[in-house]
Amino acid sequence: MKIAIVCFPTFGGSGVVATELGLAFADKGHEIHFVTYQQPVRLAQLNKNVFFHEVQVPDYPLFNHQPYDLALSSKLVNVIRKHQIDVLHVHYAIPNAYAAYMAKTMLKDEGYHIPIITTLHGTDVSLVGSHPFYKPAVAFSINHSDCVTAVSHSLKNMTYDMFDIQRSIEVIPNFIDASKYEKNKTKPCKRHLVALPEERILTHVSNFRKVKRIPDVIRIFEKVSQEVPSKLVMVGDGPEKLKAKKLVDKLGLSDKVHFLGNSSEIDRILCWTDLFLLPSEIESFGLSALEAMANKCAVVSSNAGGLPEVNQNGTTGFLNDIGDIEGMAASAIHILEDEDRLKEFKDRAQEHSFKFDIKVILPLYEAIYDKAYRQARVNQKL
Ligand code: GMT
């Protein structure tokens, strides 16, 4: 099958899911065409089955804002037509599903029926998508996709609650590649670069946006470090980072907190980690937590959105109410203070994460692609 994938190419979870999914389909012999404004960060190498088409938006003095969705829809028409694409999978509704609908409509005029699969990831529904500036266009794009998936039950329910949706939405959770972590067992993990042997390592990975509640991460760590010798590793970049550094200085924690930038080698960082912190305000799934679990990290998170579908309370870690810094610190201390208990949480975290193995998830997307493709062929003949 020839599959075009639209996503954001940055370090965000939706781009990671889209890229890893495309690569997995390419491994199975499908032809994959990524269409976005720069080569996705997890797309290290193109190969004979994997292509990248850059969407360019030339500057023009009249444009106050660059019309990216217009350029994307035109690029999609050209790519789909030239490469005779069978299905178009768009990740993140804004503006990707909207641009896909426009491309589909343009192609329909030529008698070319391209089915659209839209995957909702989270803020495209919650934070951004539900804003009155975007809401009608998002609802329209969801209702006019041929198949719609959401990465958690929580996100699916939220979509129905927030929008007037007239169609079914299928839940297909995010995934990890379990075989990668089994192989990683043999890789050296340079833990000594970050902490002393007797110290525990806590890690947070995000895009440092307000919804991640970065000050909570630091305040939880402050309490933990008073009870358990430990270090905190903060990975990623974003608008809240500078404030986070200032808070770390203010609390006198600068020799215990390491700020790393965005990393495409997250697994190397997570292999040191004992406990992953994710106290988010909103989180449709929490792919970063799942990746941490696959690397044998216990997780202390908030109970926001889809996090309870990933982190199992009392088994793989703990879930506390949003903003409950005391509670999350107590949960973390409980896990970290006892060597055997920590090991049990870490083992169970990895075991649970393997239920989200790509081998389990890929066939779910395959079935959707097949269904959408078959329906498009029927429409083509009508
Ligand atoms: O807002 C973000 O955190 C980035 C966003 C994205 O699209 O990259 O993440 C969302 O999608 C991820 C992949 O499906 C989910 O794991 C994240 O939970 C979700 N973020 C939020 O809901 C805040």
Side-chain angles (χ1 to χ4, degrees):
M1 206 178 256
K2 294 183 177 187
I3 303 159
I5 295 180
V6 180
C7 63
F8 283 103
T10 51
F11 283 91
S14 61
V16 169
V17 169
T19 310
E20 299 288 358
L21 190 63
L23 294 176
F25 271 107
D27 275 350
K28 293 197 83 180
H30 298 281
E31 188 177 300
I32 306 298
H33 295 259
F34 288 98
V35 186
T36 180
Y37 58 82
Q38 96 199 0
Q39 188 162 321
V41 288
R42 289 248 180 136
L43 187 60
Q45 258 177 309
L46 302 173
N47 65 35
K48 72 175 173 41
N49 282 357
V50 182
F51 303 87
F52 164 60
H53 307 273
E54 186 183 353
V55 180
Q56 288 172 321
V57 196
D59 236 344
Y60 185 67
L62 203 62
F63 298 153
N64 198 4
H65 302 285
Q66 310 260 337
Y68 177 71
D69 37 355
L70 199 66
L72 174 59
S73 59
S74 295
K75 188 78 183 182
L76 283 172
V77 167
N78 292 334
V79 169
I80 291 166
R81 198 194 277 137
K82 180 170 175 199
H83 298 277
Q84 293 291 295
I85 300 294
D86 298 311
V87 293
L88 170 57
H89 189 173
V90 297
H91 293 259
Y92 209 88
I94 310 167
N96 299 339
Y98 188 71
Y101 174 79
M102 289 313 298
K104 180 186 167 109
T105 309
M106 287 185 254
L107 287 161
K108 203 171 166 189
D109 280 356
E110 303 171 10
Y112 193 135
H113 287 260
I114 182 81
I116 304 171
I117 292 118
T118 296
T119 292
L120 305 172
H121 280 273
T123 45
D124 48 351
V125 168
S126 57
L127 201 66
V128 190
S130 61
H131 193 284
F133 291 170
Y134 300 119
K135 201 170 176 179
V138 172
F140 178 89
S141 314
I142 294 173
N143 281 326
H144 287 81
S145 296
D146 295 277
C147 290
V148 178
T149 72
V151 297
S152 65
H153 291 278
S154 158
L155 182 61
K156 172 181 170 172
N157 296 338
M158 183 189 269
T159 309
Y160 283 121
D161 288 347
M162 288 188 157
F163 299 91
D164 183 15
I165 299 300
Q166 311 294 333
R167 50 155 317 114
S168 63
I169 298 177
E170 192 161 326
V171 175
I172 303 188
N174 289 331
F175 53 84
I176 46 93
D177 179 354
S179 68
K180 192 167 101 181
Y181 300 97
E182 278 150 8
K183 273 185 232 140
N184 265 359
K185 267 184 196 162
T186 50
K187 276 199 179 164
C189 183
K190 296 181 180 164
R191 187 180 213 282
H192 64 277
L193 296 177
V194 185
L196 300 168
E198 65 275 19
E199 286 177 324
R200 304 288 191 217
I201 302 177
L202 293 84
T203 297
H204 170 79
V205 180
S206 78
N207 51 16
F208 283 68
R209 298 196 182 265
K210 265 212 157 66
V211 286
K212 302 292 174 181
R213 296 186 71 100
I214 303 294
D216 288 13
V217 175
I218 294 162
R219 291 192 185 279
I220 294 165
F221 174 71
E222 184 193 20
K223 290 184 187 301
V224 172
S225 67
Q226 285 161 3
E227 302 292 326
V228 181
S230 44
K231 291 273 166 59
L232 173 64
V233 182
M234 301 284 278
V235 187
D237 220 335
E240 296 295 300
K241 193 163 178 179
L242 195 61
K243 270 191 249 165
K245 285 184 170 171
K246 285 186 181 157
L247 180 61
V248 165
D249 284 345
K250 191 177 141 199
L251 298 176
L253 295 170
S254 22
D255 56 337
K256 292 184 179 170
V257 182
H258 300 286
F259 283 93
L260 310 182
N262 282 324
S263 172
S264 42
E265 293 197 298
I266 277 305
D267 293 333
R268 281 176 181 257
I269 296 164
L270 291 171
C271 83
W272 314 320
T273 302
D274 295 301
L275 190 131
F276 190 80
L277 287 174
L278 196 61
S280 311
E281 182 95 33
I282 304 173
E283 202 68 71
S284 69
F285 183 89
L287 181 64
S288 58
L290 183 67
E291 289 188 333
M293 287 159 65
N295 275 288
K296 280 200 178 202
C297 309
V299 175
V300 168
S301 69
S302 70
N303 51 12
L307 282 171
E309 296 172 48
V310 179
N311 185 17
Q312 305 283 287
N313 198 38
T315 303
T316 61
F318 287 103
L319 296 132
N320 293 86
D321 287 342
I322 299 163
D324 180 7
I325 294 171
E326 285 288 340
M328 287 189 222
S331 296
I333 292 164
H334 176 72
I335 295 172
L336 294 171
E337 68 189 357
D338 183 282
E339 189 74 44
D340 292 340
R341 191 183 298 141
L342 173 61
K343 186 178 176 322
E344 282 165 20
F345 271 97
K346 288 169 106 176
D347 287 347
R348 287 192 302 252
Q350 188 179 59
E351 194 187 321
H352 184 64
S353 76
F354 286 2
K355 293 184 181 149
F356 297 80
D357 186 17
I358 187 146
K359 287 198 185 79
V360 179
I361 304 301
L362 204 65
L364 305 178
Y365 278 113
E366 237 163 2
I368 286 208
Y369 287 1
D370 276 350
K371 190 173 138 197
Y373 175 72
R374 270 188 275 110
Q375 188 55 50
R377 293 287 72 81
V378 171
N379 294 344
Q380 188 102 39
K381 283 185 194 132
L382 291 177

